[in-house]
């Protein structure tokens, strides 16, 4: 406050506070100058003739200069309330005030000694007035009063002590003390008043800013009604929200105005009725969501209002605020919809199905009935999605959902669980046969062809069902058991419905244990390779072997490939297992004659793995097998998953010199496209065509001939699989297949038996003739 020290930065904005403190200096400085000039003239008058003229004039000049210097300092502080005052400005101001106070010590200490006692008392009286004036006129600068009190009061006391006027010395000291104390108190009150005034001003500014922003905010507006509930003094935003001019809506009934045409049609929304009742009962309301009609379109407004009372407590109407919340309401409704419905199909989602199943179980428990939960999984959907893209896949899912919805009755709800999985909740299943009937209807309907983007698509459906409460008394158990039944339906080949049965838990547990054992099979060396010979159709010499993996588990004994291969593919364990088969097959084939090749089956998971080509290179390098003696066998399904990647990988394999065989040709999604892009070394005719042709089936015979002719034209070899009888072998030769594989020439055999086969003299004899 005194300006002697600077507080720390974290103790407040002191530059601004000092600016407020010195804000009134301009007006105080003027009064101070008038007072000092008057006092200076009074000193000159009473001292004239009693004090030499030269000292008197000199003092007058010095006092005038100090007064002018103080005036210039004060003038520089104009506007300090807005910008603040620095430390250097405070120092200059205090120097000027001190110089001025020092000049006023001269009249009594110097001139008083040249005159009589009367002159001394007159000069002291003028100085007393100066002390009082400094305390009263300069509350913004308490240091001025401090300087005056200390210098003038102190010098006066010393002068009177020297001249022997002890009473006047005490009076001078008392006067100085009172002046200093009064100046500090006055300065404290002055500064507090200025701070309070600045706070009020700042609050007024903030309130004005908020009101201005509120008025200018497009989302909010003000409204007001009179005692008759008619619109009065609305803001422009309110009128704009109604699409009208403010003058046009002035005086109209408030509720009728925002209700629109529905007011005349007696179709007033309940929220409007509630608003009207609140206003009628003169009750305050806050954030009331009201459905209004603006230019014929429904909107959602959020209104708040409170009754107005005059100074006598008499009701004068309502005033309030409002905002348009239509977009927020629509977004909220959309979020609520998406939380319970599937965005693609519009069917209830998993959460809503779960709630429906929970209600169905509660209903069954209350009324002693049964409910059912059916899980539906599409067969062959992944092939469609991978081949034709997600856009076609999404359209197919939408068509599937429409067909499932067609089959629903009054007590049934269908929904989408995610991906290509759907579900049905049957609330009341008094007849257990209803579940099977509905499942069969859904399967038959979904099996019918779909026409999408000029494609004719076929998918099937597998369904697993569980009935509550006997198959599960809670939602989680019932859904898990239906999933087990679905898994069993897919194991049966798909396109079937399977009901839950307790034995499925044992099946699931067996699968879990089998998976656990499969994960450790490699490190335990439980896999072995068998080799099935492929012979030349002309001379029956062995030209290659197909490597077939077999698993002898410690816990489960011999496990059929039909059982563990699908499990390995589901868990992606097929990749490390396939890599082992590749290395082992190459290692064994090195011991065979150089004209005998080895064929290794490769699954889609393995082929599309980023390290597959490297695995082939490593297997050849480690074993020393010539690349032309290795043949990779793939099925058509690989090209449906990711044709581009499959082509790229197989081209790299062919570039090494390896052959590539197309296995099970004609049983899947046969396409001549990939036959044109890739030069396969061999096309293998599936055993189903061979056996069917042996029974005289004309279609199978025609297919085999067509495949052979196509392969010959593309310079590819053909291998007929599954030859078990001499009749089948003879037919295969007549149809033109170059190679034959089947039990007639040999079952899958161990590594030792395959190697021993080449020690057979008849084999060596045939090779020498060839």
């Amino acid at each position: 406050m005194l300006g002697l020290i600077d507080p720390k930065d974290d103790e407040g904005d002191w530059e601004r506070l000092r600016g407020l403190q010195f804000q009134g200096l301009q007006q105080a400085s003027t009064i101070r100058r008038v007072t000092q000039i008057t006092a200076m003239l009074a000193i000159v008058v009473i001292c004239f003739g009693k004090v030499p003229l030269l000292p008197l004039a000199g003092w007058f000049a010095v006092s005038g200069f100090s007064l002018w210097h103080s005036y210039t300092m004060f003038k520089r502080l104009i506007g300090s309330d807005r910008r603040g005052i620095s430390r250097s400005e405070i120092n200059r101001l205090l120097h000027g005030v001190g110089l001025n106070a020092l000049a006023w010590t001269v009249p009594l200490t110097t001139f008083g000694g040249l005159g009589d006692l009367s002159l001394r008392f007159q000069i002291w009286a003028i100085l007393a007035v100066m002390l009082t004036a400094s305390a009263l006129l300069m509350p913004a600068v308490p240091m001025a009063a401090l300087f005056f009190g200390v210098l003038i009061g102190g010098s006066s006391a010393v002068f009177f002590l020297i001249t022997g006027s002890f009473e006047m010395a005490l009076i001078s000291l008392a006067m100085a003390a009172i002046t200093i104390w009064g100046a500090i108190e006055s300065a404290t009150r002055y500064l507090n008043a200025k701070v309070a005034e600045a706070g009020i001003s700042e609050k007024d500014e903030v309130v004005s800013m908020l009101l201005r922003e509120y008025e200018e905010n497009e989302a909010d507006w003000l409204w007001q009604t009179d005692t008759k509930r008619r619109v009065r003094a609305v803001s422009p935003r309110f009128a704009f929200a109604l699409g009208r001019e403010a003058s046009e809506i002035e005086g109209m009934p408030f509720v009728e105005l925002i209700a629109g045409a529905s007011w005349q049609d007696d179709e007033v929304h309940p929220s409007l009725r509630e608003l009207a009742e609140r206003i009628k009962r003169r009750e305050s309301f806050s954030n009331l969501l009201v459905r209004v009609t603006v230019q014929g379109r429904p909107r959602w407004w959020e209104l708040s209002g409170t009754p107005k009372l005059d100074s006598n407590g008499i009701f004068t109407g309502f005033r309030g605020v409002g905002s348009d919340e239509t977009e927020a309401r629509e977004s909220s409704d959309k979020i609520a919809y998406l939380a319970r419905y599937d965005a693609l199909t519009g069917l209830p989602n998993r959460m809503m199905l779960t709630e429906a199943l929970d209600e169905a179980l509660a209903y069954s428990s209350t009324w002693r009935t049964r409910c059912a939960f059916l899980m539906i999984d599409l067969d062959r959907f992944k092939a469609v999605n991978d081949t034709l893209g997600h856009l076609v896949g999404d359209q197919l899912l939408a068509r599937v959902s429409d067909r499932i919805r067609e089959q629903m009755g009054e007590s049934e709800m269908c929904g989408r669980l995610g991906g290509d999985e759907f579900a049905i909740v049957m609330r009341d299943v008094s007849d257990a046969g209803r579940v099977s009937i509905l499942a069969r209807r859904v399967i038959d309907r979904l099996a019918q062809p779909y026409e999408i983007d000029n494609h004719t698509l076929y998918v099937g459906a597998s369904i697993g069902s569980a009935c509550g409460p006997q198959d599960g008394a809670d939602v989680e158990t019932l859904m898990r058991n239906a999933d087990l039944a679905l898994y069993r339906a897919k194991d049966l080949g798909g396109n079937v419905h399977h009901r839950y049965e307790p034995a499925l838990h044992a099946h699931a547990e067996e699968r879990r244990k089998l998976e656990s054992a499969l994960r450790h099979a490699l490190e335990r060396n439980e896999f072995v390779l068998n080799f099935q010979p492929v012979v030349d159709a002309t001379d029956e010499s062995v030209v290659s072997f197909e490597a077939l993996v077999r698993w002898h588990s410690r816990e489960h004994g011999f496990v059929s490939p039909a059982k563990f291969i699908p499990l390995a593919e589901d868990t992606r364990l097929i990749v490390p297992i396939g890599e082992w088969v590749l290395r082992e097959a190459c290692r064994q084939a090195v011991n065979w004659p150089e004209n005998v090749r080895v064929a290794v089956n490769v699954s889609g998971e393995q082929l599309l793995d980023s390290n597959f080509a490297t695995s082939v290179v490593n297997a050849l390098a480690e074993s020393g097998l010539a690349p032309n003696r290795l043949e990779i066998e793939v099925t058509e399904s690989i090209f449906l998953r990711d044709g581009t990647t499959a082509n790229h990988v197989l081209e790299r394999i062919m570039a090494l010199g390896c052959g590539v065989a197309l296995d099970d040709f004609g049983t899947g999604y046969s396409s001549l496209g990939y036959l044109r892009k890739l030069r396969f070394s061999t096309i293998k005719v599936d055993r189903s065509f061979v056996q069917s042709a042996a029974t005289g089936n004309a279609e199978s015979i025609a297919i085999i001939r067509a495949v052979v002719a196509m392969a010959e034209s593309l310079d590819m070899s053909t291998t007929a699989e599954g030859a078990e009888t001499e009749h089948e072998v003879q037919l295969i030769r007549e149809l033109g297949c170059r190679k034959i594989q089947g039990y007639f020439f040999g079952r899958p055999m161990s590594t030792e038996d395959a190697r021993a086969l080449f020690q057979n003299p008849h084999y060596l004899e045939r090779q020498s003739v060839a």
Side-chain angles (χ1 to χ4, degrees):
M1 181 183 68
L2 295 177
L4 295 177
I5 60 173
D6 283 326
K8 297 179 181 178
D9 292 339
D10 58 358
E11 293 182 3
D13 188 2
W14 285 95
E15 285 192 5
R16 184 168 180 272
L17 289 178
R18 285 173 180 155
L20 293 172
Q21 180 181 357
F22 298 153
Q23 180 182 4
L25 280 179
Q26 183 66 18
Q27 181 180 1
S29 176
T30 302
I31 301 175
R32 177 174 176 269
R33 290 198 307 274
V34 172
T35 303
Q36 285 208 26
I37 292 172
T38 304
M40 289 166 60
L41 292 174
I43 293 293
V44 171
V45 170
I46 64 175
C47 291
F48 189 77
K50 299 177 182 179
V51 177
L53 185 60
L54 185 60
L56 185 62
W59 170 82
F60 191 87
V62 172
S63 298
F65 173 77
S66 67
L67 184 61
W68 174 83
H69 183 267
S70 298
Y71 167 72
T72 58
M73 292 296 101
F74 292 154
K75 190 175 181 180
R76 291 177 182 176
L77 299 180
I78 295 175
S80 60
D81 57 318
R82 295 186 298 273
R83 62 178 177 84
I85 295 181
S86 66
R87 175 75 260 171
S88 61
E89 289 177 310
I90 291 291
N91 291 338
R92 286 195 297 270
L93 178 62
L94 294 180
H95 291 159
V97 172
L99 178 63
N100 184 245
L102 189 61
W104 279 98
T105 63
V106 173
L108 183 60
T109 59
T110 302
F111 300 156
L114 300 176
D116 56 10
L117 186 60
S118 174
L119 178 63
R120 297 172 186 173
F121 284 146
Q122 289 176 354
I123 294 174
W124 187 86
I126 294 173
L127 294 179
V129 171
M130 290 293 296
L131 286 173
T132 304
S134 66
L136 294 177
L137 298 178
M138 300 290 285
V141 189
M143 279 303 295
L146 186 62
F147 284 151
F148 271 78
V150 173
L151 294 177
I152 296 176
S155 63
S156 298
V158 172
F159 174 77
F160 284 124
L161 285 174
I162 293 174
T163 58
S165 300
F166 299 108
E167 297 85 353
M168 289 302 297
L170 291 174
I171 293 173
S172 296
L173 289 175
M175 186 68 181
I178 293 172
T179 301
I180 294 172
W181 177 80
I184 295 175
E185 285 295 317
S186 178
T188 302
R189 289 193 295 269
Y190 176 81
L191 181 58
N192 289 336
K194 283 297 181 180
V195 171
E197 180 183 343
I200 293 173
S201 177
E202 185 175 350
K203 288 181 181 178
D204 289 342
E205 183 179 348
V206 171
V207 171
S208 298
M209 181 186 67
L210 292 175
L211 287 175
R212 184 167 59 255
E213 289 184 355
Y214 187 80
E215 288 284 351
E216 293 175 356
N217 191 341
E218 294 185 7
D220 299 274
W221 11 263
L222 307 173
W223 57 271
Q224 187 171 317
T225 64
D226 57 17
T227 55
K228 296 183 180 180
R229 301 190 287 277
R230 297 182 181 275
V231 176
R232 296 285 184 239
V234 298
S235 68
R237 295 294 178 190
F238 182 86
F240 180 78
L242 285 169
R244 301 189 183 188
E245 296 293 333
S247 58
E248 181 184 352
I249 63 177
E250 188 80 15
M252 296 183 64
F254 179 67
V255 178
E256 182 177 345
L257 173 66
I258 63 178
S262 63
W263 188 263
Q264 284 78 22
D265 299 338
D266 292 331
E267 297 179 358
V268 181
H269 194 270
S271 61
L272 280 168
R273 295 187 184 278
E274 182 180 357
L275 172 65
E277 286 298 319
R278 293 284 189 91
I279 294 177
K280 183 179 179 180
R281 295 195 299 264
R282 301 178 181 178
E283 295 178 356
S284 297
F285 51 91
S286 178
N287 302 325
L288 183 63
L289 198 61
V290 180
R291 188 177 184 273
V292 303
T293 303
V294 178
Q295 296 180 342
R297 293 185 303 171
R299 308 286 294 178
W300 287 97
W301 285 5
E302 189 174 80
L303 299 174
S304 298
T306 185
K308 295 187 303 175
L309 303 176
D310 62 14
S311 58
N312 296 321
I314 299 175
F315 173 74
T316 60
F318 264 86
R319 72 156 57 96
V321 297
S323 61
D324 193 321
E325 300 294 325
T326 306
E327 293 184 3
R329 173 62 183 257
E330 290 175 351
S331 298
S332 177
D333 290 345
K334 186 175 182 179
I335 292 173
Y337 176 84
L338 293 177
R340 300 175 63 81
Y341 288 88
D342 177 61
L344 175 63
T345 63
L347 293 178
N349 61 11
R350 178 182 291 270
M351 184 179 77
M352 194 169 180
L353 284 169
T354 301
E355 292 175 355
L357 183 57
D358 188 48
E359 293 176 0
L361 283 169
Y363 180 86
S364 299
S365 176
T366 302
W367 299 100
R368 306 289 183 179
T369 61
R370 290 187 296 181
C371 63
F373 185 72
L374 288 74
M375 293 187 70
I376 307 169
D377 187 85
L378 299 183
D379 301 327
R380 300 184 299 277
F381 172 76
K382 191 176 188 324
V384 174
N385 211 31
D386 292 342
T387 307
L388 302 178
H390 292 287
L391 183 60
V392 173
D394 288 347
Q395 294 182 59
L396 178 58
L397 288 175
R399 299 282 185 87
V400 167
S401 66
D402 291 338
R403 293 189 180 183
I404 297 176
R405 191 186 286 114
E406 292 171 1
Q407 310 303 317
M408 296 300 100
E410 293 182 0
S411 62
E412 297 154 1
M413 173 194 287
C414 64
R416 183 186 179 203
L417 295 173
D420 61 343
E421 284 192 339
F422 296 81
I424 298 174
V425 175
M426 301 181 70
R427 183 182 179 88
D428 185 8
V429 185
S430 54
D431 180 8
R434 284 185 55 200
V435 177
S436 298
I437 293 173
L438 177 60
R440 190 70 258 168
R441 285 207 321 262
V442 171
I443 291 174
D444 293 343
R445 184 71 178 98
L446 297 186
Q448 296 176 14
Y450 301 82
E451 297 293 334
I452 299 176
D453 288 352
N454 299 319
H455 297 286
T456 301
L457 306 177
Y458 293 88
V459 295
S462 300
I463 300 179
S465 65
C467 292
Q470 65 268 31
D471 294 338
D474 57 76
V475 171
E476 184 180 355
T477 303
L478 200 60
M479 293 181 72
R480 184 179 68 248
N481 290 342
D483 191 35
L484 289 175
L486 173 62
Y487 198 91
R488 183 59 176 165
K490 295 187 75 67
D491 280 349
L492 294 174
N495 217 38
V496 296
H497 164 235
H498 196 280
R499 294 187 58 184
Y500 167 78
E501 51 193 32
L504 293 179
H505 276 290
H507 178 74
E509 180 63 17
E510 180 188 1
R511 186 180 188 276
R512 187 191 65 78
K513 291 180 179 179
L514 198 64
E515 178 183 337
S516 177
L518 186 61
R519 292 186 180 277
H520 301 286
L522 271 178
E523 61 188 59
R524 295 173 179 173
N525 297 319
E526 294 178 351
F527 290 115
V528 296
L529 284 187
N530 281 181
F531 298 91
Q532 186 173 24
V534 178
V535 303
D536 186 285
T538 303
D539 60 11
E540 298 183 0
S541 61
V542 177
V543 294
S544 66
F545 281 96
E546 180 179 0
L548 302 171
V549 64
R550 298 292 183 259
W551 180 25
H552 295 274
S553 171
R554 295 180 185 176
E555 295 94 347
H556 306 279
F558 176 77
V559 183
S560 168
K563 198 170 189 178
F564 77 82
I565 293 296
L567 180 60
E569 290 181 341
D570 288 345
T571 57
R572 293 204 84 246
L573 291 171
I574 194 67
V575 175
I577 293 174
E579 187 175 347
W580 177 86
V581 171
L582 183 63
R583 290 198 312 269
E584 184 67 14
C586 291
R587 191 174 68 85
Q588 295 298 332
V590 171
N591 301 314
W592 305 338
E594 293 183 355
N595 64 313
V596 179
R597 309 173 76 183
V598 63
V600 178
N601 290 284
V602 174
S603 73
E605 293 291 339
Q606 188 180 358
L607 181 68
L608 299 180
D609 184 77
S610 58
N611 295 320
F612 176 70
T614 303
S615 300
V616 174
V617 173
N618 292 339
L620 293 172
E622 291 173 4
S623 63
L625 184 71
N628 65 340
R629 294 183 60 194
L630 175 63
E631 188 172 60
I632 300 296
E633 289 192 6
V634 297
T635 61
E636 295 168 303
S637 61
I638 291 176
F639 300 98
L640 295 176
R641 289 189 56 182
D642 190 344
T644 302
T645 302
N647 285 339
H648 178 68
V649 174
L650 291 177
E651 285 172 357
R652 291 181 62 187
I653 300 302
M654 292 178 181
L656 295 174
C658 302
V660 176
L662 184 60
D663 197 9
D664 299 335
F665 182 76
T667 61
Y669 307 91
S670 300
S671 170
L672 300 181
Y674 45 77
L675 291 178
R676 177 174 55 84
K677 294 178 182 178
L678 289 172
R679 184 166 296 279
F680 293 94
S681 57
T682 304
I683 296 178
K684 302 187 75 171
V685 180
D686 189 72
R687 65 190 301 272
S688 61
F689 293 110
V690 173
Q691 294 176 350
S692 181
T695 62
N697 185 281
E699 288 80 4
S700 296
I701 293 174
I703 288 173
I704 296 176
R705 282 176 175 165
V707 171
V708 170
M710 178 184 64
E712 292 289 343
S713 65
L714 296 174
D715 195 23
M716 300 178 186
S717 178
T718 51
T719 299
E721 296 180 298
E724 298 181 357
T725 65
E726 187 173 356
H727 173 63
E728 291 174 352
V729 171
Q730 186 61 35
L731 177 63
I732 290 170
R733 287 179 177 144
E734 293 174 359
L735 293 175
C737 290
R738 294 185 187 180
K739 294 178 287 187
I740 306 174
Q741 178 180 355
Y743 286 176
F744 183 78
F745 293 102
R747 294 175 177 272
M749 60 189 69
S750 66
T751 300
E752 293 76 13
D753 290 342
R755 192 181 304 165
L757 186 63
F758 298 113
Q759 308 301 322
N760 188 314
H762 297 292
Y763 171 80
L764 296 175
E765 181 181 345
R766 286 196 298 270
Q767 292 299 305
S768 62
V769 173

